């Protein structure tokens, strides 16, 4: 007996010791700490090849500002692009752009209350450039120049950014944030800061923040990508080791307290979009997963959130009195836990919606989840981990740096996919309905809950008072609520009978893209490209010309809803629930898509589920169904949404703007309640779906994936070759674009709901597009050059805007349309100056092509960099093949020889494109100015 007890103690101690050890990181991950406390992570990875992702993580933000420094953490982040030890002025941005970086996508930063993150995503084939990139991170960490002239210039930019964040909608969002922050120091240190400080702070205050809170002991450098680990490690030590630390990794603690009572607040303004109730409960921050001991709680929390999400998604089909609802158990600011409920309410049914939401929530908190729900959630989760663990597909470098973020800021240790799968298998069976119910009941403390309602003024009289709202939730907690029922029985197989296979009648090898094109006996055409770029995966993209624009005008409204209603109705002998349960845990997803100018299919799976993918496609194609309850709920909700919308002067302005651009016809006219009642008809939904998919003839199926033609061909013949091949319907356009703008036009209204003016300059024409790919490439490059010039002048030199959007688009379907937009926000008094300067800059770009050389070279470099990366994704090949075929282009060269084509673009062709697309077509100038402010225009707090 003594030996048995001794053995038991040894085993127990061993088990406890094992579970208390830190989880092992992936073997490839290199982690270290410099003498000054800086942590570094190096994660070699070849997805994608030739690129690396860099991060400088800092555990400081606006939280640590003094009163006279409010806003300077964010200001300092801006200054990182305005002069460093090795790059004066804006030469840093110019240097990185010359290497292919694009500001925003590859070069960016953000600041929040307790973190600052600098982000780079750059080519890594040149070791010297990798070294320079790490030098840039070090410059940001300790080498900002903070030149007084640059600081003065940046004040206007920051104030322009602040202007974007004013107005009732921002204030409503802010009210929610402040409720979470619960009168803590965080609530007095919002990142955007104080405009008085921004306008007037002395340079010394900015320098003081930088010197104190950019400390290496609270920093981490992360590099993930196609790099040499030893060289990166050497560079990190070279550039960061000399930085002194005064904090020694110790940060002041500023806790956020739990609520100690029930509170209700209501926020109202005439321009808010809808009515929403948020139910907020503050909790302890979930424990980080450092050792195996913490993993079961993490796993249970993850499953709990998936179950909650699935429950509310399922309840949305029972026609609740609310529009949408959710609950989640999570954390925010890596500081505090929260149990958050949210419900979007319908005016005229606000009380009923609150009751339905409160009842659904109480049912969940009281009874937890059914065994069927838990089994489905476990199956989906564990199978997802299994596929990830067994996959030959490497993770993206961007995903790996996100894991580093979680470890550095949250404390969650990085583990390999295989190790996480083993952990999940070990602990998932122990999670049952009782444990989940107990956890919900432990989390839910109604007596420490805050309720925040946001509403537009027209609906505020329907909002319950504080006493009435609390009474609703209190009464439901003591009411007789039955447990949730979830019982799904389903057929054993998707198809009740085997399809009669068709035949491949013609095969053609497409040498340019190393793909094969098969013509089937039913008229369908299949292009297949074998690719190992995404191991184990297969993508399907199918299309045929037609879509909504091919429908008769009387069917247009029914057509708008056909895809979603049929998609939610199940297929064959399967209801929606049954089909969802049957597919749970598989890798298959499939969606039939009805767009304006084409119909199609988007689907994907792994190779293991390849036949299931084909079976699902066949089932949905040949046996669509319409659930009457789904139709009735969809129609009633759509009518209800229109009738209870908050129509404001601002929404009417944008409706008028759309009318100017698109004209007034059955495709552009507002879908009113009257149109819905009359034109959305149950007896047209299934016939319309079948008219789009009545025949495989004229359809082109594009498969790209990790298998051979020999492996996939039998499935193609059996499941696509067996589809009906009769004469297709609805593939001729009934609607085409008309020329709606023939002269310069202005739409200027003083009805905006905040202090800024919003400017939109639109240029459009119906000029014929002879070479779609060439037009798109020219427009993409012109877009970048115009935006860069406008940012340089309007933002950097004039300081009157924060950002500018430039977008150039084109389509050949249903007819030719070219459209360019230039958008920005500014002070009302600057509108005319900025528009005049914009037009002046466009003319200068068009008239002086010789000045475009350097910028065009940067844009080409960025396009080439993106192309080299895109070629490594199967989505590039799938989408590129589909679009080439749909637009009936003659050559594959834009897919395979982009590097040759782009070199043919000259500064003259860019200047000519600016003339053609912007200066030689009519302009619609739309300006939304602020409305004259009455005394009561501010957002109101009712309770």
């Amino acid at each position: 007996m003594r030996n048995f007890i001794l053995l038991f103690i040894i085993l127990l101690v061993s088990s406890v010791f094992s579970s208390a050890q830190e989880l092992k990181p992936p073997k490839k991950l290199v982690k270290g700490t410099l003498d000054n406390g800086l942590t570094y992570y190096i994660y070699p990875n070849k997805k994608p090849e030739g690129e690396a992702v860099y991060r400088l993580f800092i555990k400081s933000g606006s939280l640590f500002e003094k009163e006279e420094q409010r806003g300077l953490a964010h200001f300092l982040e801006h200054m990182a692009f305005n002069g460093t030890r090795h790059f004066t002025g804006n030469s840093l941005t110019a240097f990185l752009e010359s290497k292919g970086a694009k500001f925003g996508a590859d070069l960016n930063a953000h600041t929040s209350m307790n973190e600052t993150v600098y982000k780079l995503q750059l080519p890594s084939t040149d070791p010297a450039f990798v070294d320079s990139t790490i030098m840039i991170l070090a410059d940001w960490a300790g080498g900002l120049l903070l030149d007084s002239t640059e600081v003065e210039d940046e004040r206007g930019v920051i104030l322009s950014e602040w202007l974007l964040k004013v107005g009732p909608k921002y204030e409503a969002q802010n009210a929610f944030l402040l409720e979470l922050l619960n009168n803590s120091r965080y609530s007095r240190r919002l990142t955007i800061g104080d405009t008085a400080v921004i306008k007037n702070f002395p340079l010394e205050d900015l320098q003081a923040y930088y010197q104190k809170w950019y400390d290496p002991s609270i920093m981490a450098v992360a590099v993930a990508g196609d790099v040499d680990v030893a060289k990166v490690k050497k560079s990190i030590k070279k550039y960061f080791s000399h930085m002194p630390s005064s904090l020694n990794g110790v940060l002041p603690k500023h806790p956020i307290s739990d609520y100690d009572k029930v509170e209700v607040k209501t926020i109202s303004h005439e321009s808010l979009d809808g009515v929403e109730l948020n139910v907020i409960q503050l909790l302890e921050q979930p424990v980080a997963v450092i050792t195996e001991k913490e993993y079961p709680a993490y796993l249970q929390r993850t499953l709990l959130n998936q179950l909650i999400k699935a429950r509310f998604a399922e309840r949305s089909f029972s026609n609740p009195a609310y529009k949408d609802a959710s609950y989640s158990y999570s954390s925010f600011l890596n500081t505090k836990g929260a149990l958050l409920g949210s419900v979007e309410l319908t005016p005229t049914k606000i009380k009923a919606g609150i009751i339905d939401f409160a009842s659904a929530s109480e049912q969940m908190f009281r009874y937890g989840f059914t065994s069927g729900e838990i089994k489905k959630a476990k199956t989906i989760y564990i199978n997802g981990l299994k596929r990830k663990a067994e996959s030959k597909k490497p993770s993206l470098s961007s995903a790996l740096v996100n894991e580093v973020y979680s470890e550095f800021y949250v404390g969650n240790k990085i583990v390999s996919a295989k190790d996480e799968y083993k952990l999940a298998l070990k602990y998932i069976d122990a999670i049952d309905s009782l444990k989940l119910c107990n956890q919900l009941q432990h989390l839910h403390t109604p007596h420490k809950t805050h309720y925040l309602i946001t509403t537009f003024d027209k609906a505020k009289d329907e909002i319950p008072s504080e006493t009435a709202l609390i009474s609703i939730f209190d009464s439901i907690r003591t009411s007789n609520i039955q447990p949730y029922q979830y019982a799904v029985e389903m057929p054993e197989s998707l198809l009740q009978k085997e399809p009669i296979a068709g035949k491949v009648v013609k095969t053609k090898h497409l040498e340019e893209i190393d793909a094969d094109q098969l013509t089937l006996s039913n008229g369908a055409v299949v292009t297949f490209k074998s690719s190992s770029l995404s191991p184990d995966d297969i993508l399907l993209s199918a299309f045929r010309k037609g879509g909504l624009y091919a429908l008769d005008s009387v069917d247009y409204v029914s057509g708008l809803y056909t895809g979603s209603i049929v998609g939610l109705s199940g297929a064959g002998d399967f209801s929606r629930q049954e089909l969802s349960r049957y597919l749970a845990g598989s890798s298959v997803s499939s969606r039939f898509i009805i767009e304006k100018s084409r119909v199609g299919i988007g689907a994907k799976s792994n190779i293991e589920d390849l036949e299931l993918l084909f079976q699902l496609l066949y089932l949905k194609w040949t046996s669509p169904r319409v659930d009457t309850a789904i139709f009735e709920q969809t129609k009633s909700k759509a009518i209800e949404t229109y009738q209870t919308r908050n129509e404001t002067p601002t929404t009417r302005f944008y409706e008028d703007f759309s009318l100017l651009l698109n004209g007034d016809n059955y495709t552009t006219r507002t879908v009113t309640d009257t149109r819905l009642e009359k034109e959305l008809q149950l007896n047209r939904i299934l016939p319309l779906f079948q008219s789009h998919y009545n025949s495989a003839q004229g359809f082109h199926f594009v498969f790209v994936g990790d298998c051979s033609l020999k492996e996939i061909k039998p499935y193609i013949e059996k499941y696509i070759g067996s589809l009906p091949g009769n004469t297709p319907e609805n593939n001729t356009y009934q609607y085409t674009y008309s020329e709606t703008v023939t002269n310069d036009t202005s739409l200027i209204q003083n009805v905006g709901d905040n202090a800024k003016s919003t400017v939109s300059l639109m240029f459009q024409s119906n000029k014929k597009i002879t070479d779609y790919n060439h037009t798109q490439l020219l427009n993409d490059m012109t877009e970048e050059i115009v935006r860069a010039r406008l940012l340089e002048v309007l933002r950097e030199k004039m300081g009157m805007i924060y950002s500018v959007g430039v977008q150039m688009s084109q389509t050949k379907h249903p007819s030719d349309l070219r459209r360019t937009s230039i958008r920005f926000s500014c002070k009302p008094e600057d509108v005319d100056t900025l528009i005049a300067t914009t037009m002046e800059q466009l003319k200068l770009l068009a008239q002086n092509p010789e000045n475009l050389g350097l910028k065009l070279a940067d844009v080409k470099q960025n396009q080439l960099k993106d192309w080299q990366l895109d070629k490594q994704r199967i989505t590039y090949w799938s989408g590129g093949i589909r679009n080439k075929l749909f637009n009936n282009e003659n050559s594959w060269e834009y897919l395979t020889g982009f590097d040759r084509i782009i070199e043919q673009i000259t500064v003259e062709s860019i200047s000519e494109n600016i003339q053609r697309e912007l200066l030689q077509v009519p302009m619609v100038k739309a300006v939304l100015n602020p409305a004259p402010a009455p005394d009561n225009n501010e957002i109101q707090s009712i309770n």
Side-chain angles (χ1 to χ4, degrees):
M1 175 64 74
R2 181 180 177 188
N3 289 337
F4 175 79
I5 294 173
L6 182 61
L7 177 62
F8 177 78
I9 291 172
I10 291 171
L11 289 173
L12 179 63
V13 171
S14 174
S15 174
V16 170
F17 178 74
S18 174
S19 66
Q21 286 184 315
E22 284 195 8
L23 295 172
K24 293 181 180 179
K27 293 179 180 179
K28 292 197 304 180
L29 176 63
V30 175
K31 179 184 176 183
T33 305
L34 302 183
D35 290 343
N36 56 13
L38 181 134
T39 306
Y40 61 85
Y41 301 82
I42 309 170
Y43 215 139
N45 185 59
K46 289 188 177 292
K47 187 67 175 179
E49 294 182 2
E51 183 186 69
V53 179
Y54 304 81
R55 295 289 185 269
L56 174 63
F57 295 127
I58 309 172
K59 290 181 179 177
S60 64
S62 58
L63 179 66
F64 303 118
E65 296 166 343
K66 296 179 181 179
E67 189 69 22
E68 65 273 17
Q69 292 176 323
R70 289 172 57 198
L72 297 196
H74 173 239
F75 199 111
L76 187 61
E77 173 220 307
H78 275 240
M79 294 307 301
F81 304 96
N82 288 292
T84 71
R85 182 182 292 118
H86 294 94
F87 298 92
T88 59
N90 65 355
S91 62
L92 169 59
T93 302
F95 170 72
L96 292 176
E97 287 180 341
S98 73
K99 301 295 185 179
K102 181 178 178 182
F103 198 91
D106 307 309
L107 166 64
N108 215 328
H110 77 255
T111 303
S112 74
M113 294 177 186
N114 55 3
E115 69 178 46
T116 302
V117 180
Y118 292 92
K119 313 167 192 178
L120 293 168
Q121 192 159 325
L122 299 167
S124 62
T125 52
D126 180 4
F129 183 53
V130 172
D131 181 78
S132 295
T133 304
I134 295 169
M135 179 185 73
I136 290 168
L137 297 179
D139 271 13
W140 285 336
L144 297 188
L145 297 181
L146 302 182
D147 177 80
S148 59
T149 302
E150 297 285 354
V151 168
E152 291 305 313
D153 289 344
E154 199 65 22
R155 292 184 199 263
V157 175
I158 298 285
L159 292 170
S160 295
E161 182 180 0
W162 171 85
L163 189 64
L164 294 176
K165 298 181 179 180
V166 298
K169 292 176 185 176
Y170 174 74
E171 290 180 47
Q173 295 169 1
N174 222 30
F176 176 73
L177 176 60
L178 291 173
E179 205 63 35
L180 287 174
L181 301 180
N182 195 24
N183 295 313
S184 64
R185 181 182 174 88
Y186 286 88
S187 63
R188 300 185 296 277
R189 291 295 182 270
L190 300 186
T191 307
I192 196 62
D194 185 332
T195 54
V197 172
I198 300 303
K199 291 176 183 176
N200 301 301
F201 71 86
L203 179 59
E204 293 75 19
D205 286 352
L206 187 64
Q207 293 169 331
Y209 180 90
Y210 184 45
Q211 289 166 5
K212 182 166 185 179
W213 297 112
Y214 274 46
D215 187 288
S217 67
I218 56 170
M219 289 181 180
V221 172
V223 181
D226 191 3
V227 295
D228 183 310
V229 172
K231 289 180 179 178
V232 169
K233 185 176 178 180
K234 182 178 179 181
S235 294
I236 291 172
K237 289 183 175 180
K238 176 172 66 173
Y239 291 117
F240 284 90
S241 292
H242 70 279
M243 296 180 184
S245 171
S246 59
L247 294 178
N248 296 316
V250 179
L251 289 169
K253 295 188 181 298
H254 299 288
I256 300 173
S257 301
D258 293 349
Y259 300 138
D260 55 10
K261 60 181 179 180
V262 175
E263 282 190 12
V264 178
K265 293 180 182 176
T266 302
I267 303 296
S268 174
H269 192 274
E270 63 182 5
S271 67
L272 294 180
D273 292 330
V275 183
E276 186 173 320
L277 167 64
N278 287 286
V279 183
I280 309 168
Q281 197 183 307
L282 298 183
L283 306 166
E284 290 300 312
Q285 166 82 345
V287 176
V289 182
I290 299 172
T291 69
E292 185 176 330
K293 183 174 67 174
E294 292 92 26
Y295 183 79
Y298 163 81
L299 178 62
Q300 184 165 315
R301 185 168 69 252
T302 302
L303 283 175
L304 183 68
N305 277 313
Q306 290 192 2
L307 285 160
I308 294 171
K309 182 179 180 180
R311 168 70 66 83
F312 276 99
E314 189 60 42
R315 289 192 66 93
S316 70
F317 294 102
S318 61
N319 203 18
Y322 54 75
K323 293 182 180 180
D324 193 22
S326 64
Y327 242 107
S328 66
Y329 169 37
S330 58
S331 64
F332 61 96
L333 294 171
N334 302 321
T335 298
K336 192 70 178 172
L339 186 64
L340 300 174
S342 177
V343 56
E344 187 180 353
L345 298 163
T346 302
T348 72
K349 298 198 307 188
I350 288 177
K351 183 177 179 181
I354 294 173
I355 290 172
D356 276 5
F357 172 69
S359 299
S361 303
E362 174 59 26
Q363 182 187 59
M364 182 180 67
F365 288 125
R366 190 182 300 182
Y367 299 111
F369 303 95
T370 68
S371 59
E373 289 177 295
I374 295 170
K375 182 179 179 181
K376 180 181 177 182
K378 285 182 176 181
T379 300
I380 292 171
Y381 188 71
I382 208 72
N383 283 8
L385 287 180
K386 180 182 179 182
R387 284 193 297 273
K388 191 174 178 182
E390 295 177 351
S391 175
K392 295 175 287 185
K393 179 171 56 179
S395 298
L396 288 171
S397 298
S398 55
L400 299 179
V401 294
N402 289 338
E403 292 183 22
V404 173
Y405 171 93
S406 181
E407 174 167 319
F408 183 66
Y409 283 107
V410 183
N412 293 324
K413 291 296 177 182
I414 301 170
V415 296
S416 69
K418 289 183 179 179
D419 285 346
E420 184 173 2
Y421 176 51
K422 289 177 184 177
L423 286 169
L425 283 176
K426 182 176 180 179
Y427 291 107
I428 199 165
D429 287 342
I431 301 172
D432 55 23
S433 58
L434 182 60
K435 280 188 176 181
L436 289 162
C437 189
N438 287 341
Q439 183 178 20
L440 277 173
Q441 292 174 355
H442 174 72
L443 293 171
H444 187 44
T445 52
H447 61 286
K448 295 182 179 180
T449 300
H450 283 197
Y451 302 87
L452 176 67
I453 302 174
T454 56
T455 178
F456 53 87
D457 288 351
K458 293 176 185 175
K460 69 180 180 183
D461 291 341
E462 199 188 339
I463 302 297
S465 66
E466 178 176 355
T467 302
L469 181 69
I470 294 172
S471 177
I472 290 172
F473 280 88
D474 285 347
S475 63
I476 286 173
R477 276 193 293 274
T478 58
S479 65
N480 181 23
I481 294 177
Q482 296 302 309
Y484 181 75
Q485 299 297 317
Y486 180 87
V488 177
E489 296 183 5
M490 58 197 171
E492 292 183 1
S493 61
L494 276 184
L495 304 180
Q496 298 308 303
K497 62 179 181 178
E498 289 291 301
I500 300 173
K503 292 291 183 183
V504 173
V505 297
K506 182 181 177 182
T507 301
K508 178 184 178 182
H509 184 67
L510 305 175
E511 188 174 344
E512 301 96 326
I513 58 171
D514 191 22
D516 293 286
Q517 193 168 93
L518 315 177
T519 302
L520 301 178
S521 50
N522 58 2
V525 178
V526 176
T527 297
F528 169 72
K529 179 176 174 59
S530 179
S531 171
S532 59
L533 289 174
S534 186
D536 304 321
D537 290 343
I538 187 86
L539 284 186
L540 162 63
S541 177
F543 67 88
R544 188 180 72 189
K545 190 178 78 170
L548 295 172
Y549 288 157
L551 298 178
D552 189 281
S553 60
V554 298
D555 281 329
Y556 187 77
V557 173
S558 290
L560 287 171
Y561 291 88
T562 292
S564 60
I565 290 171
V566 173
L568 293 171
S569 296
D573 295 331
F574 288 79
S575 68
R576 174 190 54 78
Q577 276 187 316
E578 291 165 348
L579 190 57
S580 173
R581 183 68 187 89
Y582 186 91
L583 297 171
S586 78
S587 63
V588 175
S589 65
S590 172
R591 190 163 68 97
F592 280 54
I593 305 160
I594 302 173
E595 297 178 334
K596 289 183 176 180
S597 60
R598 64 186 175 190
V599 295
I601 302 168
K604 64 180 180 179
S605 77
N606 62 22
I607 298 304
E608 183 182 354
D609 292 326
L610 183 58
E611 185 166 16
L612 180 61
L613 172 71
F614 276 92
Q615 289 176 339
L616 183 62
L617 182 157
Y618 182 86
L619 177 72
K620 288 186 172 185
W621 187 298
T622 59
S623 302
R625 51 190 275 176
V626 172
D627 186 319
T628 303
I630 292 290
F631 172 83
E632 295 297 342
Q633 179 174 325
T634 300
K635 183 172 182 176
S636 65
K637 291 283 188 185
I639 291 172
E640 194 176 73
T641 297
Y642 178 81
Q643 291 175 337
T644 59
R645 75 199 187 288
N646 184 28
E647 188 178 21
T648 67
T650 298
T651 61
R652 286 192 291 271
F653 169 85
Y654 285 110
E655 288 172 2
D656 292 344
F657 186 26
S658 176
L659 192 65
L660 265 178
L661 296 173
N662 302 310
D664 182 15
N665 59 71
Y666 70 93
T667 71
T668 61
R669 211 165 290 141
T670 301
V671 182
T672 63
D673 52 347
T674 303
R675 286 189 74 186
L676 287 163
E677 193 63 63
K678 180 181 178 181
E679 299 177 39
L680 180 52
Q681 296 299 316
L682 174 62
N683 62 3
R684 295 301 299 150
I685 299 300
L686 196 55
L688 285 175
F689 184 87
Q690 290 170 330
S691 72
H692 291 306
Y693 298 96
N694 72 311
S695 173
Q697 191 178 138
F699 259 93
H700 205 123
F701 297 79
V702 178
F703 288 93
V704 181
D706 189 18
C707 62
S708 67
L709 179 60
K710 183 179 179 180
E711 289 172 301
I712 199 172
K713 184 178 176 181
Y715 298 125
I716 291 172
E717 291 184 316
K718 181 176 181 179
Y719 295 105
I720 296 180
S722 60
L723 296 173
N726 43 292
T727 303
E729 301 177 34
N730 290 343
N731 64 344
T732 302
Y733 295 128
Q734 304 299 310
Y735 167 79
T736 56
Y737 298 123
S738 58
E739 192 168 10
T740 58
V741 180
T742 56
N743 297 296
D744 287 353
T745 308
S746 294
L747 175 66
I748 302 173
Q749 294 181 9
N750 302 328
V751 295
D753 56 23
N754 52 51
K756 65 177 179 285
S757 291
T758 302
V759 177
S760 300
L761 306 179
M762 303 293 294
F763 310 81
Q764 69 178 36
S765 74
N766 299 91
K767 294 177 183 176
K768 186 170 180 59
I769 300 169
T770 54
D771 185 336
Y772 182 87
N773 283 330
H774 184 70
T775 301
Q776 184 178 37
L777 176 59
L778 262 181
N779 283 347
D780 287 347
M781 300 180 78
T782 302
E783 184 180 294
E784 292 301 320
I785 287 170
V786 169
R787 183 174 184 271
R789 173 63 65 87
L790 294 180
L791 280 174
E792 177 188 353
V793 176
L794 307 186
R795 171 179 161 139
E796 301 302 332
K797 291 184 178 178
M798 300 173 69
M800 290 185 176
I801 66 166
Y802 173 66
S803 186
V804 61
V806 180
Q807 184 175 17
M808 304 183 76
S809 60
Q810 62 287 318
T811 183
K812 296 172 66 174
H813 308 282
S815 56
D816 297 290
L817 178 67
R818 304 165 182 254
R819 180 175 286 168
T820 300
S821 66
I822 298 175
R823 303 175 188 269
F824 54 82
S825 295
C826 61
K827 295 177 183 177
E829 59 268 30
D830 293 335
V831 168
D832 292 340
T833 299
L834 288 168
I835 292 176
T837 305
T838 296
M839 298 308 299
E840 177 186 334
Q841 291 303 314
L842 292 177
K843 290 174 183 175
L844 288 172
L845 289 172
Q847 294 167 3
N848 300 283
E850 66 276 5
N851 295 334
L852 301 180
L854 288 176
K855 191 60 194 176
L856 179 58
D858 290 349
V859 171
K860 285 183 177 181
Q861 193 71 22
N862 177 256
Q863 294 264 359
L864 285 169
K865 182 209 69 165
D866 287 348
W867 179 64
Q868 293 291 348
L869 298 175
D870 288 342
K871 286 194 302 177
Q872 300 177 49
R873 303 182 179 103
I874 60 171
T875 51
Y876 170 80
W877 294 100
S878 175
I881 293 169
R882 179 196 64 218
N883 291 337
K884 185 268 183 191
L885 295 169
F886 181 64
N887 290 311
N888 200 27
E889 295 294 308
N890 294 321
S891 170
W892 294 103
E893 196 169 8
Y894 276 82
L895 269 178
T896 61
F898 185 79
D899 52 343
R900 296 187 298 274
I901 289 174
I902 200 170
E903 289 307 318
Q904 299 170 13
I905 303 297
T906 64
V907 291
E908 288 78 14
S909 57
I910 296 294
S911 292
E912 290 167 6
N913 200 45
I914 293 171
Q915 285 279 7
R916 181 172 52 250
E917 303 289 348
L918 290 105
L919 299 178
Q920 294 177 353
V921 297
M923 179 179 74
V924 176
K925 177 175 68 176
V927 182
L928 178 63
N929 289 318
D935 293 339
N936 62 349
N937 196 45
E938 294 184 0
I939 198 164
Q940 298 178 30
S941 178
I942 299 175
N943 300 107

